[in-house]
Amino acid sequence: IFYNYTITGFSCVSVIYIVKSKKIRNFCIIAHIDHGKSTLADRLLEETKTISKKDMRSQVLDSMELERERGITIKSHPITLNYTHDDGTQYSFNLIDTPGHVDFSYEVSRSLAACEGALLLVDASQGVEAQTVSNTYLAIDNDLTIIPVINKVDLPNAQIEEVTHQIQELIGCEKEDIISISAKTGSGIKQIFNAIIERIDPPKGDEDDSTRALIFDSVYDNYKGAIPYVRVFDGSVKPGMTASFFSHGFTYEITEVGHFVLKKIPRKELKAGEVGYVLANIRDIGHIEPGETLTVKQKKADTPLPGYKKMQPMVFSGLYPSDTEDYDQLRQSLEKLRLNDASFTFEPETSDALGFGFRCGYLGLLHMEIIQERLEREFELSLVTTSPNVRYKLKLKDGEDIEVDTPANMPLQGEIDIIYEPIVSAEIITPKDFIGSIMSLCQKKRGNYKTTQYLSTGKAQLLYELPLGEIIFDFYDKLKTISKGYVSFDYQPLEFREGSLKKLEILLHGEPVDALSSICHSDDAYHRGVALCSKLKELIPRQLFEVAIQASLGSKIIARSTVRAIKKNVTAKCYGGDITRKRKLWEKQKQGKKRMKLVGKVEVPQDALLAVLSIDKD
């Protein structure tokens, strides 16, 4: 079956081979950020003639404008490749290109659930990095076949022998199992295809069994509704069948199924072992959940597939529309975006300073930044954000246990017995020359040193236990500065531990501003209070009355600065006469300012709301 089509200037021809499950291979590419995943995917597309060389551009699968600008993969991208082996056998490869940054690890875990194998890509000049280790353990936990690949072997500073030893230490493979390639030039790509065919097992499902398909991702289309991306494990899915889900009782008639070849290509059916999409005019976004099992009434399954563990948000911030009339549009946009990125959460909240908005949870600061940019670009929203916080567990003096992810909800200090803060297990991989500086930084962030292991003569792995609240702001940036960009950092949630923490409030004109409040360690509270007051004095515009900026811990004011009032020369019109004329005008002005100070309100600009972030970078 031949399909001819044009995609954004690319002329493509897709040949759809009818193959049995034994000729199908499902695999993904996992690696640390910037180790060449997208470039390798480009070469695989070229080799299988999915796209011609003259029409090729870099990062073909990174379809999002934001991905291309930043040079990183944000979303996993599935695509079907048809490959003719040297012996003439036709194979169907379902490839999923995955992100490499720690903040998008949930995308990786969902991709792994749809595969039987993974290409573990390692940069020959940088070696095994923190996210390489993390993704490898994810693949091992999912019982995937791992094919180790060393990329960029053509670089002058490539350390092939050293990186080979690091990979052997990581996964315990033989030296002969490691493939050396250059994704940029295409060298060694043929070996990858041979390894995929020989080492990765074909899917085990039976198309005659009851239908079970795992939803590993989804998107929303304004005309077609929610579109789930599925990996069919058992049975088959065809147009005309009735889709059913295990988590709710709603059913939908399937109107179209197909797979991905740069765009959605319709098929007559999706069989066991195949990866594709399902159209069923699903308008209620809440009816599609990643990890859910799709079945059909005609061949209904009794038990769902094992899903995957839901990720718990690590960082929280408030998200508010600049125009209060855009509140409903923001809510709808968040619902649609969550369909495409199930790793972030949101719930309504109200701020005295900002009005109605949402409290959003993210996997990290980069994840938070990407979500905000996608909302502004894809849904044309103007947003105001508050400083990020983490979730704390509190034990009150009356015996009640509560959780708090925003300083505004923190009870009074006298009501709190114990505050527990989140601790993470951090892995830092760095050249040995920077070990001392990095350890000093970790000590400043209240880190608890665990071990040091040398991966090679020049590279070390530091393990620390760090409070999450200390590393969400600028820790990674400082690591990069100290190590001249050569360090890699990864962390996993560990536990909650008792900490000496206090709520730092900022008062403007005597009124607390919840968007500027923060939870910090008691040893750091005074310094942060003074620094915040000084910073806000520069950012808050002058009023016709004097504005006091105060930092408080409970009922105690620990710092203050004052925004001087704008002065107007009310006596400018007096050209002589008795001094009592001027004194009357000055007294009248003084009384007016006093009344204004009682009823006046201070508008807080967005720059001032982000002052908490800039304090940590100073």
Side-chain angles (χ1 to χ4, degrees):
I1 304 173
F2 292 87
Y3 290 99
N4 296 281
Y5 52 90
T6 303
I7 304 169
T8 60
F10 297 144
S11 56
C12 308
V13 177
S14 177
V15 183
I16 309 301
Y17 298 106
I18 308 301
V19 295
K20 293 185 177 181
S21 60
K22 289 185 178 180
K23 305 302 179 186
I24 296 175
R25 299 292 186 273
N26 299 315
F27 67 97
C28 59
I29 305 174
I30 57 175
H32 188 80
I33 188 171
D34 200 32
H35 277 211
K37 296 179 304 300
S38 297
T39 307
L40 175 58
D42 291 346
R43 299 292 81 77
L44 297 178
L45 289 171
E46 278 186 351
E47 188 68 24
T48 55
K49 297 181 173 54
T50 304
I51 187 169
S52 62
K53 284 191 176 182
K54 69 174 184 178
D55 292 327
M56 176 59 69
R57 65 178 182 182
S58 62
Q59 295 177 262
V60 172
L61 294 184
D62 291 345
S63 55
M64 201 183 302
E65 181 183 350
L66 201 55
E67 292 178 310
R68 305 189 67 79
E69 284 181 10
R70 290 175 172 261
I72 60 173
T73 301
I74 296 170
K75 284 290 300 175
S76 58
H77 300 278
I79 188 169
T80 299
L81 312 174
N82 296 298
Y83 176 69
T84 304
H85 197 33
D86 294 339
D87 59 5
T89 306
Q90 313 292 344
Y91 288 90
S92 179
F93 294 154
N94 292 309
L95 161 66
I96 303 179
D97 183 24
T98 63
H101 196 279
V102 61
D103 282 13
F104 307 109
S105 58
Y106 195 49
E107 289 287 327
V108 179
S109 67
R110 285 159 37 198
S111 302
L112 294 175
C115 300
E116 279 81 31
L119 300 180
L120 176 62
L121 202 62
V122 180
D123 190 319
S125 61
Q126 299 182 44
V128 170
E129 304 277 17
Q131 197 60 25
T132 311
V133 178
S134 178
N135 287 338
T136 302
Y137 289 157
L138 279 175
I140 292 172
D141 290 342
N142 282 267
D143 199 24
L144 265 61
T145 300
I146 299 175
I147 300 175
V149 180
I150 299 178
N151 190 23
K152 304 182 184 181
V153 295
D154 57 323
L155 292 179
N157 59 338
Q159 302 172 345
I160 300 175
E161 287 299 322
E162 186 174 323
V163 175
T164 298
H165 177 70
Q166 292 176 13
I167 294 175
Q168 286 181 286
E169 289 289 321
L170 179 62
I171 63 175
C173 65
E174 298 295 331
K175 185 176 180 179
E176 295 75 23
D177 296 333
I178 302 173
I179 302 172
S180 297
I181 69 162
S182 170
K184 185 176 181 179
T185 64
S187 171
I189 299 299
K190 201 78 172 178
Q191 299 177 52
I192 289 182
F193 283 112
N194 293 334
I196 291 170
I197 294 170
E198 295 168 5
R199 302 188 202 176
I200 298 178
D201 295 330
K204 297 178 181 178
D206 190 340
E207 62 187 69
D208 295 324
D209 286 346
S210 300
T211 298
R212 296 194 302 173
L214 179 70
I215 299 174
F216 65 89
D217 204 354
S218 52
V219 295
Y220 186 83
D221 187 282
N222 288 329
Y223 302 102
K224 299 176 182 178
I227 306 174
Y229 292 177
V230 300
R231 155 68 196 276
V232 182
F233 279 84
D234 299 305
S236 61
V237 184
K238 303 177 185 178
M241 287 183 167
T242 303
S244 175
F245 303 88
F246 282 88
S247 62
H248 56 77
F250 296 97
T251 58
Y252 299 92
E253 183 180 352
I254 298 173
T255 58
E256 180 182 312
V257 300
H259 62 192
F260 311 94
V261 185
L262 295 184
K263 73 171 187 177
K264 300 177 181 67
I265 303 296
R267 291 280 302 273
K268 289 184 177 180
E269 65 177 330
L270 288 177
K271 297 181 180 180
E274 295 185 327
V275 174
Y277 67 92
V278 176
L279 292 184
N281 197 29
I282 304 172
R283 293 294 169 180
D284 193 325
I285 298 174
H287 290 177
I288 299 295
E289 279 286 336
E292 168 71 295
T293 300
L294 180 149
T295 186
V296 294
K297 275 197 168 183
Q298 289 79 359
K299 299 169 68 175
K300 191 168 183 178
D302 296 326
T303 57
L305 292 163
Y308 34 80
K309 183 181 177 182
K310 288 188 177 182
M311 298 291 285
Q312 294 297 320
M314 304 284 283
V315 178
F316 298 84
S317 75
L319 209 56
Y320 298 84
S322 298
D323 187 345
T324 54
E325 294 181 357
D326 293 337
Y327 176 79
D328 287 335
Q329 184 184 350
L330 175 58
R331 177 180 53 79
Q332 295 171 9
S333 302
L334 286 169
E335 289 174 348
K336 292 177 181 178
L337 191 57
R338 191 179 184 281
L339 190 68
N340 190 233
D341 186 351
S343 57
F344 90 96
T345 62
F346 65 93
E347 59 184 24
E349 79 165 0
T350 305
S351 167
D352 295 335
L354 301 172
F356 294 101
F358 295 90
R359 190 72 182 170
C360 299
Y362 315 91
L363 297 184
L365 281 187
L366 178 62
H367 189 212
M368 181 182 78
E369 189 180 334
I370 293 298
I371 290 294
Q372 292 167 8
E373 284 201 44
R374 290 187 65 184
L375 286 169
E376 291 176 347
R377 293 189 185 202
E378 297 176 22
F379 302 98
E380 298 180 352
L381 290 166
S382 178
L383 302 173
V384 176
T385 61
T386 63
S387 60
N389 289 285
V390 299
R391 176 174 286 159
Y392 298 92
K393 292 184 177 181
L394 278 64
K395 184 177 181 180
L396 305 183
K397 289 185 177 179
D398 61 4
E400 184 183 359
D401 294 328
I402 63 172
E403 292 187 354
V404 171
D405 56 33
T406 173
N409 295 336
M410 179 75 79
L412 296 174
Q413 197 70 34
E415 299 176 5
I416 302 172
D417 186 16
I418 303 174
I419 300 178
Y420 299 95
E421 61 179 335
I423 304 296
V424 298
S425 175
E427 177 188 36
I428 303 168
I429 296 181
T430 175
K432 64 179 183 179
D433 297 340
F434 308 113
I435 291 178
S437 301
I438 290 174
M439 292 181 78
S440 297
L441 175 62
C442 291
Q443 289 298 114
K444 290 179 182 178
K445 295 294 184 178
R446 298 191 286 125
N448 180 24
Y449 171 75
K450 302 304 290 183
T451 61
T452 299
Q453 296 180 359
Y454 283 87
L455 303 177
S456 64
T457 54
K459 182 172 285 191
Q461 177 193 53
L462 301 177
L463 297 180
Y464 267 89
E465 291 178 357
L466 290 160
L468 180 59
E470 294 284 350
I471 66 174
I472 62 170
F473 291 109
D474 64 333
F475 182 75
Y476 189 62
D477 291 339
K478 287 184 176 178
L479 272 180
K480 286 291 186 182
T481 302
I482 289 172
S483 66
K484 301 179 181 178
Y486 288 107
V487 76
S488 65
F489 175 65
D490 185 29
Y491 61 87
Q492 298 293 333
L494 188 61
E495 61 183 358
F496 282 80
R497 291 180 188 169
E498 182 178 345
S500 177
L501 303 167
K502 292 184 178 180
K503 177 183 177 181
L504 178 67
E505 277 194 308
I506 298 298
L507 309 179
L508 289 183
H509 199 44
E511 294 292 327
V513 183
D514 54 359
L516 288 172
S517 301
S518 61
I519 299 172
C520 58
H521 195 265
S522 56
D523 294 341
D524 193 40
Y526 177 76
H527 161 74
R528 285 175 62 88
V530 172
L532 265 172
C533 287
S534 300
K535 191 77 174 180
L536 289 172
K537 182 180 179 180
E538 302 171 6
L539 298 173
I540 291 178
R542 295 174 69 185
Q543 312 291 321
L544 290 172
F545 53 91
E546 189 177 87
V547 178
I549 305 171
Q550 298 169 305
S552 72
L553 289 175
S555 59
K556 182 181 179 182
I557 302 297
I558 61 171
R560 171 179 171 138
S561 60
T562 304
V563 179
R564 302 292 298 274
I566 299 174
K567 292 186 177 180
K568 180 181 178 181
N569 188 2
V570 294
T571 61
K573 59 185 178 182
C574 297
Y575 294 100
D578 193 353
I579 188 65
T580 56
R581 291 183 62 200
K582 293 185 177 182
R583 285 175 179 167
K584 284 180 182 178
L585 290 172
W586 286 333
E587 186 63 28
K588 189 176 180 180
Q589 182 188 40
K590 184 178 179 181
Q591 295 300 323
K593 285 185 177 290
K594 188 179 291 186
R595 288 194 301 271
M596 191 179 294
K597 192 171 183 178
L598 292 174
V599 299
K601 290 189 176 181
V602 182
E603 292 292 331
V604 184
Q606 170 73 351
D607 290 344
L609 294 175
L610 297 178
V612 179
L613 289 176
S614 60
I615 290 302
D616 285 274
K617 291 182 179 180
D618 292 341

